[in-house]
Amino acid sequence: MAVDRSKFRTCAQTSFCRRHRGGHSASLYHYRLDPDSVQLLEVPGDVVADAAADAPPDTGVWSSVKKRMLGDNHDQPLLDPYVKGPGPVFQATLLNTNANTNADSSSSSSSERLQLAVHGHADGMARIRITEVYGSAHTPYEKARWTSDELVLNTDELISTNHVEFLSPSAISELLTYLPSINNNMKPNQDASDYIGVQYGADQGDMILLFHIDPFSFTFWRKDDLKSGPIVQFGEEQLMHFEVRRSKEASNSDVLVSEEDDADFIKDGEEEDRHGGKEIVGYWEDGLAIYADGSREEKETEDEEDEKHRKLLEEQAPELDTEGMWEETFSSHEDSKPYGPMSIGMDLTFPNSQHLFGLPEHASSTHLKSTFGQGAHYQEPYRMYNLDVFEYELDETMALYGHIPFLVSHSVTGGTVGAFWFNPTETFVDIQEDASSKHSKTHWMSESGIIDLFLLPGPTAEAMYEQYAHLTGRLALPPMFSLGYHQCRWNYKDERDVYQVHEKFEELDYPYDVLWLDIEHTDGKRYFTWDDNLFPHPAEMQEKLWHDGRRMVTIVDPHIKRDNKYYIHKEATSKGLYVKDNSGKKDFDGWCWPGSSSYVDFTNANARSWWADQFSYKKYQGSTPSLFTWNDMNEPSVFNGPEVSMQKDILNLDGIEHREWHNLYGMLFQRATGEGLVRRNQPDENIRPFVLSRAFFAGSQKYGAIWTGDNEAKWSHLEIAAPMLLSMNVGALSFVGADVGGFFGNPDAELMTRWMQAGSYTPFFRGHAHHDSARREPWMFGDETLVRLRHAAMARYALLPFWYTVFYQAAATGMPIMRTMWMQYPQTESLFSLDDQYLIGSDLLVKPVTGEGVTQTTVSFPSNDLWYNVDTSQVVPATTSTTGQDEAISVTVDSDIDKIPVYQRGGSIIPRKLRLRRSTHLMTKDPYTLYVALDKSQKAVGELYMDDEVSFDHDRRKNLALASFSVDFSSGNIANSVNVGSGWTETVSDLAEGRMVERIIVMGVDKAPKSISTASEQLQFDYSAKSRVLVIRKPNVSSLKNWQINITV
């Protein structure tokens, strides 16, 4: 199996990427910041006086800056109607002074002026927006470019700084002494007059932006750590590139390829010739045609002429590469580009950092590898364009199903810093590691939009993820059942099949929570319907499963069958809710599972609201409160479209081209679906939604779960699962998982066992299989394997109180659930690149076994902490004696087929429920066992979050509690301090009986206690000197009440 590469573009086959990459258009762009345009929009009065007192005479740049500070009259550009959140605190004009642009470089009347706006945030974030100067009548940029602030940004938590000031010349001079040698713009005898500095107040210390005037660039600093240098540098490579809108007529002289040559390249009639006159009756997911005679289209290969033309484009002189600026063709699909070239790009450098992470989703390592320069690991930049990539390959930078243009740098000296490139259009990112200077360079290239860059200063992972939560929103706390095991297959054939599978799980006492139905459950791929022959009693079926504590999930995709008798299509058509073709007059017609299909415009609020209404129990006949939803194919996937998606020039209901909102579509679809599951609630219901999506963008964490798509039943796909999921978590997308067992193919017993073990320690835990795969329910691999698979599932269920607590912490703080090692150990550099082991929260270290026949595994343990084997409760001996340095200790551990290496951090307390149940619903009132792992000081702390696990009452009525456990053996006490929400305050005594602690297991105890007691009774306990484990039985305390247990040693 291999991806059909002819279906998907490379950078060299993408005109805007060619123009940006490798300096193809560098000769056209040279930006200068116009000092006469500078404005500080909010300045306390005393700041002006203080800065002016340190100023040189009123000449040059300082004179211009001071006038702006004092509010000198200056023309204000028209406000951008799309921008949301805190307003700018600093504005200026950028001039493209390159002679090749025919611009008047001496005047701000230049035809290539750009507006720079800086937004300072109270949490330290800086937003840098660079746009055309909007409002110039009768120009292509009279109106603002469309942006998606309203659809993505979490404006409720974005708070402006309350203090901003210009830096004085002396302050600027001090900064210049700390600029690293990487600053390519530094010239001999440079002084403060070449710069403008802005300082703004932040919760964690003031931040500084230092702007270089000519050529334009800037550096970003933490004021409390100037000597370490800037944490981010913008424009040091002078790769900023902003294609302003212009009329096609004005650019005709620039066109490289003649009409005759272009026609030759496009190959008129290619669509007809390609199919040999055969009648097309459909398309498969790989985009290949299905013919009336039953045959299928063969994969396309690049012919010699195409290859020669492509290489010519790559090698030609930069100033000549104008092909594809006004029209572009790929694989017979034409993009009309009515607005011409509108691409933007820029470079960011991360000084003294060799470790970059993020940019999900790619089937590659979590640590981003070099794509450019000498010794590059990849030849193609990381591509970010949501696509349905059939049979994707590994160790690739090819685009996949979802993307988050968020990159994180981490280093020992610079700490953690993030860069969010707020742009949902097709984007490429080059990574270049500079080994000599230890800097990392990045080059961002997008087809359209504006330069809208958020810089998140950290300085810790905790601080940076709190900033990112302010920016794009917080993880939605899911219902508890969704953290259990999900059983899925394309497809469970009928109700009889569903019952047989469910009853077998019951018979074997195998825990699971959700049974899933794929597309075949519908009436001819018409979503919100049921096949009456196969599923004649859907509500009764759901109720039977719910009687045993199980839910169901059905698939609902965004493509709607074009059938006038189908009520969904009929209503959407009559209300005008579909995406339009490029004329804006007809509904777009694409091919997907139902055949000819239309697509709801989820960028439109009315369309999203209408879609949400379709989930009401009255409209979605056969649905019940125990039915939830799976959104697939929402990249969007269009089998007969370019790159198996929509044409870029088709329009939404506001007339905005698809190219502008492509990467948002899947997220907005999931958002509308989730809203539908909330709206369907009856007055006596308050049920949280669960929606799984394949496509995603920044902010998807607010709407549900994501999975990694159509993986394969191969060891290599199991191995890549953790790096892919960690990369998503770097992008704050935490509720994620990979299909257990692999979607395509047939895993053997060993691979299935290892995948079930690994999956049980990932946030989303689902087994899934293709319809051509053999049945692979847990009992299909024999009794011996069944025992192993059930053991893995039971370990998951025992840890559900811990998982639920970590989800609560993620929602509250923004920190990822599944963490790379550096997030908890920021000074241990040897751990930074590891992605074959990870942490769940801060307290569990997991090292999945991903190789065939493996019986021993090497684990890297941070030496700062003790680590306890979760199976034996024994401390790892190598971690007990360390030098006190931040280092990692590599230990080879046993990992035979029955074992996945998992370790609890010393100093932590983890709650479990140990009674075997078949679903989360049946576990609700089960008692807790607390697992205490003592640190080197014989102490430990931990939390347990509690609510009803189902409803929104934790948020709306404050029906919740947070227990904070602590153990201090040196002082002889174990205690609980519980914070009970206002909604539970009056009923906490009644609820306490259902939240009891039945056992406390303490690991790492040096000697046996003489007695253990509460205020009212002596407690029973067992102590093993050999294992150093203390077990306190039946302490008769509740997690919902404050208590203390006294230990006498």
Side-chain angles (χ1 to χ4, degrees):
M1 301 175 74
V3 66
D4 182 358
R5 292 179 177 273
S6 70
K7 295 290 180 187
F8 304 103
R9 300 197 301 180
T10 63
C11 177
Q13 295 168 311
T14 309
S15 63
F16 82 86
C17 189
R18 288 198 312 272
R19 292 197 298 277
H20 284 259
R21 201 180 192 215
H24 274 259
S25 298
S27 63
L28 300 177
Y29 299 93
H30 180 104
Y31 294 99
R32 176 173 69 88
L33 187 152
D34 179 8
D36 290 332
S37 69
V38 171
Q39 290 182 307
L40 202 63
L41 301 182
E42 295 183 31
V43 184
D46 60 338
V47 173
V48 175
D50 291 345
D54 188 38
D58 285 352
T59 58
V61 172
W62 182 250
S63 176
S64 294
V65 169
K66 195 172 72 171
K67 288 178 181 178
R68 305 293 82 73
M69 292 168 63
L70 296 171
D72 190 40
N73 290 332
H74 201 77
D75 292 337
Q76 289 276 0
L78 295 181
L79 291 176
D80 183 335
Y82 301 114
V83 66
K84 305 295 179 185
V89 298
F90 173 88
Q91 285 186 167
T93 300
L94 304 179
L95 306 176
N96 184 3
T97 62
N98 194 291
N100 291 328
T101 65
N102 298 314
D104 178 3
S105 62
S106 65
S107 168
S108 62
S109 65
S110 163
S111 62
E112 287 215 5
R113 290 186 301 155
L114 299 176
Q115 182 71 43
L116 166 69
V118 177
H119 307 242
H121 291 213
D123 61 6
M125 279 194 297
R127 183 182 192 180
I128 313 298
R129 279 183 111 246
I130 300 176
T131 67
E132 294 152 326
V133 180
Y134 302 138
S136 300
H138 311 300
T139 68
Y141 37 93
E142 181 175 359
K143 295 182 179 179
R145 293 194 186 197
W146 183 84
T147 57
S148 53
D149 294 37
E150 189 173 21
L151 297 174
V152 176
L153 299 185
N154 180 31
T155 54
D156 289 344
E157 293 192 52
L158 295 178
I159 301 172
S160 179
T161 179
N162 60 10
H163 172 80
V164 61
E165 62 182 281
F166 279 114
L167 292 183
S168 66
S170 62
I172 292 175
S173 296
E174 180 186 2
L175 286 181
L176 295 183
T177 65
Y178 302 127
L179 272 180
S181 59
I182 192 173
N183 192 329
N184 297 327
N185 297 324
M186 289 287 284
K187 301 174 184 176
N189 303 317
Q190 213 167 213
D191 60 29
S193 65
D194 296 306
Y195 292 84
I196 295 174
V198 176
Q199 178 176 320
Y200 62 93
D203 297 336
Q204 301 195 32
D206 283 5
M207 304 303 302
I208 292 173
L209 286 159
L210 183 63
F211 296 94
H212 189 262
I213 294 171
D214 190 6
F216 169 71
S217 64
F218 70 81
T219 48
F220 189 44
W221 308 67
R222 302 184 188 111
K223 187 174 185 294
D224 60 2
D225 190 20
L226 297 180
K227 292 183 179 180
S228 294
I231 54 176
V232 180
Q233 296 179 287
F234 175 110
E236 297 307 320
E237 299 296 313
Q238 288 300 291
L239 296 177
M240 181 175 153
H241 177 152
F242 198 118
E243 292 180 329
V244 299
R245 287 170 287 179
R246 50 196 176 278
S247 65
K248 184 173 183 179
E249 292 74 18
S251 299
N252 276 343
S253 60
D254 296 331
V255 177
L256 166 67
V257 183
S258 69
E259 292 183 4
E260 291 80 7
D261 290 339
D262 195 45
D264 236 10
F265 178 53
I266 292 173
K267 301 189 182 81
D268 283 339
E270 181 177 357
E271 183 71 21
E272 291 76 13
D273 295 339
R274 179 176 141 214
H275 301 292
K278 290 185 176 182
E279 180 186 354
I280 301 171
V281 294
Y283 293 85
W284 193 242
E285 190 176 4
D286 55 10
L288 298 174
I290 303 169
Y291 302 122
D293 63 5
S295 62
R296 287 184 56 181
E297 179 184 3
E298 297 294 326
K299 286 185 179 181
E300 185 178 296
T301 57
E302 186 176 46
D303 63 28
E304 291 184 7
E305 288 301 314
D306 286 348
E307 183 179 10
K308 186 186 299 182
H309 188 84
R310 178 176 57 79
K311 289 183 176 179
L312 173 64
L313 293 176
E314 292 179 21
E315 297 168 0
Q316 64 190 1
E319 64 272 15
L320 297 179
D321 190 4
T322 57
E323 181 173 303
M325 291 178 70
W326 292 94
E327 297 92 10
E328 193 165 11
T329 300
F330 177 73
S331 187
S332 80
H333 296 282
E334 294 186 20
D335 179 1
S336 63
K337 291 192 175 181
Y339 302 103
M342 294 174 60
S343 69
I344 49 114
M346 58 89 184
D347 59 279
L348 279 183
T349 298
F350 298 88
N352 301 310
S353 174
Q354 292 280 276
H355 300 283
L356 302 182
F357 308 90
L359 303 183
E361 174 185 33
H362 298 94
S364 57
S365 63
T366 308
H367 182 269
L368 298 174
K369 296 180 180 178
S370 183
T371 63
F372 194 77
Q374 188 174 3
H377 182 82
Y378 299 116
Q379 298 306 306
E380 282 288 315
Y382 288 89
R383 189 182 183 205
M384 312 194 78
Y385 190 68
N386 294 3
L387 292 172
D388 180 359
V389 182
F390 189 73
E391 299 175 351
Y392 64 80
E393 295 179 359
L394 309 185
D395 196 24
E396 289 285 349
T397 57
M398 289 179 69
L400 288 178
Y401 309 101
H403 294 93
I404 300 175
F406 181 57
L407 182 145
V408 176
S409 166
H410 181 76
S411 66
V412 171
T413 57
T416 306
V417 59
F420 176 52
W421 176 254
F422 182 21
N423 193 309
T425 73
E426 181 181 7
T427 297
F428 290 86
V429 184
D430 263 323
I431 306 292
Q432 186 175 8
E433 298 172 354
D434 189 337
S436 60
S437 65
K438 295 188 178 180
H439 304 311
S440 293
K441 303 175 183 180
T442 64
H443 183 195
W444 303 69
M445 303 160 274
S446 291
E447 183 179 20
S448 190
I450 64 169
I451 293 178
D452 197 353
L453 174 68
F454 287 86
L455 297 176
L456 289 65
T460 62
E462 291 83 359
M464 191 210 66
Y465 280 107
E466 180 67 24
Q467 292 153 6
Y468 189 76
H470 293 164
L471 179 58
T472 65
R474 298 178 184 276
L475 176 143
L477 186 63
M480 177 68 89
F481 80 82
S482 65
L483 306 187
Y485 177 64
H486 300 249
Q487 182 65 40
C488 185
R489 177 178 178 79
W490 181 19
N491 203 85
Y492 287 116
K493 298 179 293 184
D494 50 29
E495 289 181 4
R496 181 169 177 270
D497 196 8
V498 166
Y499 290 139
Q500 286 179 338
V501 170
H502 169 68
E503 288 164 5
K504 193 68 174 178
F505 274 103
E506 287 281 289
E507 174 191 335
L508 297 171
D509 285 333
Y510 195 110
Y512 93 100
D513 261 79
V514 191
L515 195 66
W516 293 51
L517 296 178
D518 211 317
I519 54 177
E520 311 304 338
H521 82 277
T522 63
D523 176 14
K525 315 295 192 300
R526 296 170 181 86
Y527 303 109
F528 302 101
T529 70
W530 303 83
D531 185 316
D532 289 339
N533 294 318
L534 303 178
F535 296 91
H537 309 293
E540 181 182 338
M541 174 180 64
Q542 294 160 52
E543 288 162 1
K544 284 184 177 179
L545 265 63
W546 175 234
H547 180 268
D548 292 327
R550 277 29 177 269
R551 275 88 168 178
M552 295 196 76
V553 164
T554 51
I555 197 166
V556 178
D557 290 347
H559 46 262
I560 304 301
K561 184 178 180 66
R562 292 169 70 98
D563 173 3
N564 291 330
K565 295 181 180 180
Y566 174 29
Y567 77 100
I568 292 284
H569 175 66
K570 185 176 180 180
E571 189 172 330
T573 302
S574 67
K575 291 180 178 293
L577 300 177
Y578 285 138
V579 171
K580 304 300 180 184
D581 65 10
N582 60 11
S583 73
K585 298 177 181 178
K586 297 180 179 179
D587 292 341
F588 170 71
D589 183 357
W591 196 277
C592 208
W593 296 125
S596 180
S597 302
S598 293
Y599 293 73
V600 174
D601 177 13
F602 291 103
T603 68
N604 182 273
N606 290 332
R608 291 196 303 274
S609 180
W610 172 84
W611 180 262
D613 288 341
Q614 306 316 302
F615 287 88
S616 73
Y617 300 128
K618 289 182 179 180
K619 291 191 174 184
Y620 189 177
Q621 294 289 315
S623 66
T624 72
S626 63
L627 183 68
F628 297 86
T629 308
W630 171 17
N631 288 164
D632 197 1
M633 315 300 286
N634 52 335
E635 292 73 29
S637 180
V638 181
F639 292 167
N640 62 334
E643 301 194 271
V644 198
S645 193
M646 292 177 177
Q647 287 81 354
K648 287 186 173 181
D649 57 0
I650 67 172
L651 305 173
N652 71 3
L653 296 176
D654 292 323
I656 306 299
E657 286 189 295
H658 169 229
R659 79 182 78 248
E660 304 290 345
W661 42 266
H662 172 84
N663 283 349
L664 299 176
Y665 189 84
M667 179 181 74
L668 296 176
F669 177 48
Q670 185 183 23
R671 170 182 170 177
T673 299
E675 177 62 26
L677 296 185
V678 174
R679 282 193 196 179
R680 73 177 183 176
N681 282 330
Q682 299 300 297
D684 60 340
E685 295 173 345
N686 194 15
I687 301 170
R688 288 178 235 168
F690 169 74
V691 184
L692 177 73
S693 171
R694 190 168 69 176
F696 57 86
F697 189 68
S700 284
Q701 69 270 12
K702 300 190 292 285
Y703 305 121
I706 303 292
W707 94 106
T708 59
D710 298 343
N711 56 2
E712 296 184 43
K714 294 180 178 179
W715 288 99
S716 58
H717 278 255
L718 171 58
E719 183 179 14
I720 202 65
M724 292 179 72
L725 298 177
L726 286 170
S727 180
M728 290 177 173
N729 274 263
V730 170
L733 196 59
S734 281
F735 197 5
V736 294
D739 283 342
V740 170
F743 178 63
F744 293 113
N746 296 298
D748 60 18
E750 183 186 7
L751 177 56
M752 190 67 188
T753 299
R754 292 305 195 185
W755 216 316
M756 188 71 77
Q757 291 170 345
S760 69
Y761 286 97
T762 59
F764 179 59
F765 183 26
R766 180 183 77 155
H768 187 33
H770 190 272
H771 59 65
D772 289 337
S773 300
R775 294 295 286 254
R776 62 167 81 146
E777 289 75 22
W779 50 87
M780 300 301 295
F781 297 88
D783 291 345
E784 186 178 359
T785 298
L786 171 64
V787 171
R788 294 186 179 117
L789 299 182
R790 182 169 52 193
H791 180 76
M794 289 168 58
R796 168 61 167 230
Y797 276 74
L799 277 168
L800 283 176
F802 169 71
W803 277 105
Y804 200 56
T805 299
V806 176
F807 266 84
Y808 159 77
Q809 293 166 343
T813 68
M815 275 292 282
I817 289 170
M818 191 174 170
R819 300 177 188 172
T820 51
M821 299 297 294
W822 62 263
M823 292 181 185
Q824 294 299 134
Y825 299 94
Q827 296 295 306
T828 309
E829 192 162 9
S830 60
L831 295 173
F832 290 0
S833 296
L834 284 186
D835 59 9
D836 60 353
Q837 66 179 57
Y838 54 87
L839 295 162
I840 301 169
S842 59
D843 298 338
L844 277 186
L845 190 161
V846 181
K847 177 67 181 279
V849 178
T850 60
E852 187 174 7
V854 171
T855 58
Q856 289 190 316
T857 302
T858 299
V859 181
S860 293
F861 293 100
S863 65
N864 312 58
D865 292 306
L866 299 178
W867 294 92
Y868 294 83
N869 186 316
V870 299
D871 292 323
T872 66
S873 299
Q874 299 299 291
V875 70
V876 177
T879 67
T880 60
S881 58
T882 64
T883 63
Q885 302 296 315
D886 291 297
E887 59 185 11
I889 302 168
S890 294
V891 180
T892 299
V893 301
D894 290 336
S895 57
D896 63 28
I897 191 64
D898 294 306
K899 169 72 176 172
I900 175 174
V902 181
Y903 300 87
Q904 182 174 343
R905 181 182 61 81
S908 67
I909 300 174
I910 288 180
R912 286 181 169 87
K913 290 187 175 183
L914 300 184
R915 299 184 183 183
L916 174 60
R917 305 292 190 189
R918 295 191 293 269
S919 73
T920 58
H921 178 69
L922 302 176
M923 297 171 62
T924 304
K925 294 186 178 181
D926 282 354
Y928 299 102
T929 295
L930 303 183
Y931 280 75
V932 179
L934 296 177
D935 64 12
K936 297 169 187 177
S937 301
Q938 296 281 284
K939 297 179 181 180
V941 295
E943 291 184 332
L944 170 62
Y945 172 75
M946 296 163 284
D947 61 23
D948 66 16
E949 303 176 356
V950 175
S951 79
F952 284 109
D953 286 351
H954 67 289
D955 183 49
R956 298 174 182 174
R957 300 179 182 177
K958 303 306 175 187
N959 290 357
L960 55 86
L962 182 65
S964 297
F965 304 112
S966 61
V967 174
D968 186 345
F969 238 75
S970 61
S971 299
N973 66 73
I974 303 174
N976 180 38
S977 176
V978 62
N979 184 5
V980 179
S982 59
W984 270 4
T985 303
E986 295 184 1
T987 59
V988 67
S989 295
D990 297 330
L991 295 168
E993 289 299 316
R995 305 283 181 173
M996 299 300 290
V997 175
E998 70 171 349
R999 189 184 297 106
I1000 301 173
I1001 298 173
V1002 188
M1003 298 171 276
V1005 177
D1006 288 332
K1007 63 178 182 177
K1010 294 178 180 178
S1011 66
I1012 301 177
S1013 64
T1014 64
S1016 60
E1017 63 177 321
Q1018 292 288 321
L1019 301 181
Q1020 299 177 357
F1021 64 90
D1022 295 319
Y1023 175 73
S1024 168
K1026 181 178 180 180
S1027 64
R1028 298 173 65 235
V1029 174
L1030 170 69
V1031 180
I1032 304 172
R1033 304 186 186 282
K1034 299 181 180 179
N1036 195 31
V1037 293
S1038 172
S1039 58
L1040 280 178
K1041 291 194 173 183
N1042 296 331
W1043 45 261
Q1044 180 168 308
I1045 295 174
N1046 299 309
I1047 303 172
T1048 303
V1049 180

